[in-house]
Amino acid sequence: MPHLAQRCNAVLPFYAVELFKQANALNAQGHDVISLGIGEPDFTAPGPVLDTLNRASAAGLSGYTPPLGLSALREAIAQYYGAAFGAPVDASRVVITAGASGALMLAAMALINPGDEVLLPDPSYPANQNFIISAGGIPRLIPSTPEQRFQLSADDVRRHWGPATRGVLIASPSNPTGTRIAPDELKALVAEVRRHGGFIIMDEIYLGLYYGDRPQSALVLDDDIIIINSFSKYFHMTGWRLGWMIIPPDMIEAVDRLAASLTICAPSLAQHAALTCFEPDVMHIYENRRLSFQQRRDYLLPQLEQLGLHVPVTPDGAFYIYADISQHSTDSEDFSQRLLKQAHVAAVPGRDFGPFHANRMLRFSYTLGLDRLEEAVDRMRKFLG
């Protein structure tokens, strides 16, 4: 048996996936589990996108594409960012990747040297730490509070930047909280990181899933921010494994070389099909679905409060609610397991997202229809007595 690399011991488990496996096992035993755990939309790709996929397959368009992706898709994303989020970019800066995970891997490999420290908020998406670790870096979680919308602040950067710190990895809207960074705070944070000469990786995977004023991309503040995005969430193409990154011009050549070796290219049929996502009729479908997510959020928020599951910050994006269970328990892992086994409702315990809030927080994902959410609330009401 060969000796495993030390990074295997450092890589953190993804408890949401383990919970998903448990829920599937219960379903296989005949139990009806309502999963408010995994962050996967119940919507799938619209019909026109599937039609394009089938035509591309029939035409034999399944061969390799350039490592940076199809030129037409890169151009479509560049135009989309300008029209939707106020950040027009040159298509040469858009890199098509094997999901947002592929984008995060390329960003980490391009920017992080062994021993480099990267600041993240606690709570944050757990896999982000593992991309940093895989590149030899050191993720440093900085506790964030409801007062700062559970986001990293400029003051956090100022106080925690050390000799080994090289940059920050942030998300707006965030997983698990669904909160956006306020524009003024983001501007101050960007300025503080730049004052230290650091990089900013900005996860905008949920940028299209907003509730309230339409957001702008972080690129409107600084053209050198590395943007991560995906077709999985707003475009509902999770298993298609298609994402993108927007990078500064001086990173293009290095990322091209890395992508050519590490992934060769993103899935080619998915790339051809994704072009249809940006057609006006299809975008109209996505916008209607966004409003459905808002309707679900507006139903679930007051219901959780009535159950004594306090939501410290109202989410204004994504499809997550980060709720405080301390009225009922001081152990979110135990609470989550009992909720799953006794009420057959799955929700992710806080330890997945960082230690600071781990024991008292639970993440609920509202990626199911209102009828299933209503049933989940009814089950939780009975479970809580």
Side-chain angles (χ1 to χ4, degrees):
M1 179 69 185
H3 293 291
L4 296 176
Q6 291 182 357
R7 70 175 61 88
C8 294
N9 297 322
V11 167
L12 303 169
F14 201 166
Y15 296 108
V17 174
E18 295 304 315
L19 190 75
F20 181 64
K21 293 176 184 177
Q22 289 180 286
N24 282 343
L26 286 170
N27 276 323
Q29 295 168 17
H31 300 289
D32 175 33
V33 175
I34 300 176
S35 179
L36 307 181
I38 202 78
E40 181 171 29
D42 55 333
F43 298 114
T44 57
V49 177
L50 297 176
D51 292 341
T52 304
L53 173 72
N54 292 330
R55 288 196 300 271
S57 179
L61 301 178
S62 57
Y64 292 137
T65 72
L68 298 184
L70 290 175
S71 296
L73 184 56
R74 297 168 71 193
E75 182 64 44
I77 290 170
Q79 293 178 6
Y80 169 63
Y81 248 66
F85 306 121
V89 296
D90 192 281
S92 66
R93 297 173 53 195
V94 178
V95 179
I96 310 301
T97 61
S101 296
L104 283 162
M105 177 186 68
L106 289 172
M109 292 298 180
L111 294 168
I112 299 170
N113 286 309
D116 286 353
E117 181 181 83
V118 181
L119 305 183
L120 309 92
D122 176 349
S124 60
Y125 176 58
N128 286 347
Q129 297 179 64
N130 289 333
F131 289 111
I132 295 166
I133 290 168
S134 296
I138 302 167
R140 185 176 178 194
L141 289 174
I142 308 302
S144 60
T145 65
E147 291 72 26
Q148 60 197 85
R149 302 181 59 74
F150 293 116
Q151 293 281 3
L152 203 66
S153 69
D155 186 57
D156 289 331
V157 174
R158 191 176 302 113
R159 290 187 294 110
H160 295 283
W161 197 280
T165 309
R166 296 293 176 266
V168 302
L169 202 171
I170 53 179
S172 181
S174 164
N175 176 6
T177 67
T179 61
R180 289 190 266 169
I181 305 175
D184 289 347
E185 186 54 52
L186 180 58
K187 182 177 181 180
L189 186 152
V190 169
E192 187 62 29
V193 174
R194 290 306 185 215
R195 189 175 71 83
H196 291 283
F199 64 77
I200 300 163
I201 301 175
M202 170 61 90
D203 170 351
E204 292 186 343
I205 293 169
Y206 298 99
L207 192 63
L209 289 172
Y210 63 90
Y211 314 117
D213 295 337
R214 177 185 286 273
Q216 290 187 313
S217 169
L219 287 172
V220 303
L221 298 175
D222 190 314
D223 213 33
D224 286 339
I225 293 174
I226 294 89
I227 297 294
I228 308 294
N229 212 318
S230 171
F231 284 91
S232 290
K233 308 301 182 180
Y234 177 76
F235 295 101
H236 314 140
M237 296 162 65
T238 52
W240 299 55
R241 306 317 303 137
L242 197 63
W244 73 85
M245 59 196 303
I246 301 173
I247 57 178
D250 59 5
M251 283 183 64
I252 295 172
E253 191 273 335
V255 169
D256 192 3
R257 279 189 287 116
L258 284 167
S261 294
L262 296 178
T263 59
I264 300 180
C265 69
S268 54
L269 290 175
Q271 290 190 59
H272 286 285
L275 283 164
T276 302
C277 293
F278 302 103
E279 294 179 359
D281 289 349
V282 180
M283 288 300 296
H284 182 69
I285 295 172
Y286 287 127
E287 279 301 288
N288 284 336
R289 292 177 174 184
R290 178 181 67 83
L291 295 177
S292 293
F293 281 122
Q294 181 169 351
Q295 185 183 25
R296 298 172 185 184
R297 181 203 65 162
D298 293 347
Y299 165 75
L300 193 55
L301 271 172
Q303 294 295 327
L304 291 176
E305 291 284 356
Q306 289 175 22
L307 293 173
L309 302 171
H310 175 55
V311 182
V313 185
T314 298
D316 53 357
F319 36 60
Y320 305 113
I321 295 176
Y322 194 54
D324 188 332
I325 65 163
S326 55
Q327 181 175 324
H328 302 286
S329 174
T330 57
D331 185 343
S332 68
E333 174 64 20
D334 173 73
F335 186 89
S336 172
Q337 285 295 309
R338 289 189 291 112
L339 184 64
L340 176 63
K341 293 171 182 176
Q342 296 175 30
H344 296 149
V345 174
V348 182
R351 67 172 177 170
D352 227 358
F353 311 106
F356 190 68
H357 303 281
N359 289 334
R360 63 185 181 89
M361 302 300 291
L362 216 62
R363 188 196 74 178
F364 294 90
S365 177
Y366 46 93
T367 54
L368 299 175
L370 281 174
D371 58 334
R372 294 295 276 169
L373 293 179
E374 290 168 357
E375 173 65 21
V377 167
D378 186 58
R379 292 185 190 182
M380 287 190 286
R381 184 176 293 112
K382 294 174 181 175
F383 168 75
L384 294 171

